[in-house]
Amino acid sequence: MRIVIAGGHGQIALRLERLLAARGNEVAGIIRKAEQSDDLRTAGAEPVVLDLESASVEEVAERLRGADAAVFAAGAGPGSAVQRKDSVDKGAAVLFADAAVRAGVRRFVIVSSMGADPEHQGNEVFDVYLRAKGAADAYVRGLDSLDWTILRPGALTDDAGTGLVRLEARTGRGPVPREDVAAVLAELLDSPATSGLTLELISGSTPVSVAVKAVAGN
């Protein structure tokens, strides 16, 4: 498959790129800074320099044409201003989804966050983030032209992945290594039967491939 990842230099994205490339997939990662290109090449991905905060839908769609799947793994990141929660975590996600529709890319996986909710209350930066992620998720769910899956990981860690997770519609809160999040994303891309599902993910006792097959009904 050819897979295009938004936020290609993110910590989860780089891990995902390595996994997908090792499986023989053709991977491209969208990045804002050209100086990040070598990191993507090392991971086995083609760097595509494009700013999702200023690009048009057609510009993004051009980069998506010919792809079999798209993954939105971009984020404003901790420490970013409130405004970027709206322009990246919501705005760029909506733009990327619209571009996927225009480019005819049906398979669409979005990395969200546990607790994402467009109606989430509160005025702290993290509250704004959860509203932005929730609004992006709701928008993607409304696009009939996409075979979408929404993944909502728990608290992300840099611990070594165990390959053992809990993946369900509701898991309750808990930590999960970024490495295991990437492994689940790779399996989801190979499991179109997970389309239409919003899934929470934390560390658990089930091997990744078994957990994905279970939610897919296999």
Side-chain angles (χ1 to χ4, degrees):
M1 290 197 298
R2 176 172 171 81
I3 301 151
V4 179
I5 302 171
H9 195 258
Q11 295 184 68
I12 291 172
L14 285 168
R15 290 168 169 85
L16 177 59
E17 286 155 6
R18 291 188 196 100
L19 285 174
L20 294 174
R23 294 183 179 192
N25 295 290
E26 182 183 343
V27 189
I30 295 177
I31 52 177
R32 283 194 306 127
K33 300 175 182 178
E35 55 265 34
Q36 298 169 338
S37 297
D38 285 346
D39 291 337
L40 268 72
R41 293 189 186 101
T42 299
E46 168 199 345
V48 177
V49 180
L50 184 69
D51 188 349
L52 294 177
E53 289 182 88
S54 59
S56 68
V57 171
E58 185 52 42
E59 285 174 324
V60 182
E62 187 60 33
R63 273 66 169 192
L64 280 166
R65 287 194 174 92
D68 300 291
V71 179
F72 185 83
S80 58
V82 167
Q83 292 82 357
R84 295 200 72 228
K85 306 304 181 188
D86 189 66
S87 63
V88 178
D89 295 296
K90 177 186 174 184
V94 168
L95 174 74
F96 197 60
D98 285 342
V101 171
R102 184 170 296 196
V105 181
R106 289 203 63 93
R107 189 71 177 112
F108 191 92
V109 178
I110 183 168
V111 182
S112 183
S113 174
M114 193 172 290
D117 181 352
E119 303 301 324
H120 179 83
Q121 299 299 305
N123 298 311
E124 299 298 323
V125 173
F126 191 66
D127 298 320
V128 176
Y129 167 76
L130 291 177
R131 281 196 293 275
K133 296 298 281 186
D137 293 353
Y139 186 84
V140 168
R141 286 196 195 101
L143 295 175
D144 294 336
S145 298
L146 295 181
D147 296 328
W148 54 264
T149 303
I150 297 169
L151 183 65
R152 292 178 167 176
L156 298 170
T157 76
D158 288 324
D159 296 338
T162 65
L164 300 173
V165 299
R166 183 177 175 190
L167 180 69
E168 300 169 14
R170 294 284 184 274
T171 61
R173 295 190 177 275
V176 61
R178 288 179 172 87
E179 193 172 310
D180 287 334
V181 177
V184 168
L185 289 167
E187 289 292 330
L188 290 173
L189 287 166
D190 276 338
S191 304
T194 60
S195 296
L197 299 180
T198 299
L199 301 166
E200 293 184 350
L201 172 68
I202 58 174
S203 291
S205 58
T206 306
V208 168
S209 61
V210 175
V212 171
K213 287 176 182 174
V215 295
N218 298 329

